[in-house]
Amino acid sequence: MTAPLTMRDIAKLPENAQCADCDEQAPEWASLNLGIFLCIKCAGIHRNLGVEHSKVRSIKLDTTCWDVDSIQHMQNMGNARAKEIYEYRAPKFYIRPSEADTPVIRENWIRAKYVRREFLPKEYSYEKAVDPSIYQMPQAVLEDFLSKRSPRNENKWQKRWFCLHSNSR
C-alpha cells in the first residue's frame, strides 16, 4: 500500500509545478479554498483579497492546516484544472502576468479571475456576470486614460494614456 500524498508531493506534480497565476516555477504557497498553488508574489496578492476569496497558506511552514479534506481538495483541483475553469473565457488580448511582471499587472489578473470571476464558463456564472461581448478584440482603435496608483503615495492616482487596437487588418 502506498503512503498518502502530502501537500509537498501534490505541489511537485507536473500540473502544479508552476504558479497558477504567473507560471513561476516551484510554487511554495497554496490557496486552500481555490485549490491552487502559488508563488510568494501572487500569494501576497491573494492574501490581500481577503479570506472570502482566497485562504493562503505556506506549503512548508503551515503544517497544521493540511487535513485530509484539504489535501483531497488540492489533489482534485490543482493548477491545471483551476486554469481550465477560471481562465475559460479569458480574452487572448488580456495581459496575463509572468514571473517578471509588476504587482499591478498581477493584481489586475488575480482580481479579474477570482474576485470578479470574469472568465468563468457560463455554467459557473454568477449574478454579476460581465457581458461576453467585452471578450472580443475591438475593431476600432480605443483611446482613453487609465488611473495608476502612485508608487510613492498610495492615496494618489496618476493618469496614464492608453491605446488599444487590433493588429489583424
Side-chain angles (χ1 to χ4, degrees):
M1 184 171 173
T2 61
L5 290 175
T6 66
M7 196 53 62
R8 289 184 188 181
D9 296 333
I10 298 168
K12 289 178 183 175
L13 294 173
E15 59 268 23
N16 299 323
Q18 297 175 316
C19 174
D21 293 321
C22 74
D23 295 334
E24 184 172 326
Q25 296 295 317
E28 295 183 353
W29 293 80
S31 173
L32 289 171
N33 57 325
L34 296 173
I36 58 174
F37 295 92
L38 305 162
C39 69
I40 192 166
K41 293 174 186 173
C42 291
I45 294 169
H46 275 260
R47 278 191 185 270
N48 290 335
L49 299 179
V51 294
E52 66 274 12
H53 297 291
S54 187
K55 296 177 185 173
V56 179
R57 300 289 184 267
S58 170
I59 296 170
K60 293 181 179 180
L61 303 175
D62 297 317
T63 55
T64 59
C65 64
W66 304 118
D67 59 15
V68 174
D69 292 336
S70 297
I71 291 174
Q72 187 64 46
H73 174 62
M74 296 298 290
Q75 191 172 3
N76 290 341
M77 179 60 83
N79 290 0
R81 183 158 185 259
K83 281 185 177 190
E84 288 174 7
I85 295 169
Y86 286 99
E87 297 179 21
Y88 184 80
R89 296 190 311 161
K92 293 192 185 312
F93 61 86
Y94 205 98
I95 297 174
R96 290 166 172 79
S98 69
E99 56 187 279
D101 277 327
T102 65
V104 172
I105 292 174
R106 287 174 196 265
E107 184 173 358
N108 187 45
W109 174 250
I110 290 168
R111 286 190 179 277
K113 270 177 78 171
Y114 306 112
V115 176
R116 296 189 303 269
R117 298 176 174 152
E118 293 177 14
F119 314 129
L120 288 176
K122 289 189 187 271
E123 60 267 18
Y124 286 91
S125 291
Y126 292 86
E127 304 80 39
K128 298 178 183 178
V130 180
D131 180 11
S133 65
I134 69 163
Y135 300 117
Q136 299 167 0
M137 186 61 144
Q139 297 304 316
V141 174
L142 294 178
E143 299 176 343
D144 206 345
F145 287 96
L146 284 175
S147 294
K148 176 189 169 205
R149 187 175 288 175
S150 172
R152 292 187 209 119
N153 182 353
E154 289 189 6
N155 296 325
K156 186 176 179 182
W157 293 83
Q158 302 168 339
K159 275 190 167 184
R160 296 289 186 255
W161 177 255
F162 83 95
C163 178
L164 179 67
H165 61 87
S166 174
N167 289 333
S168 58
R169 293 188 188 217

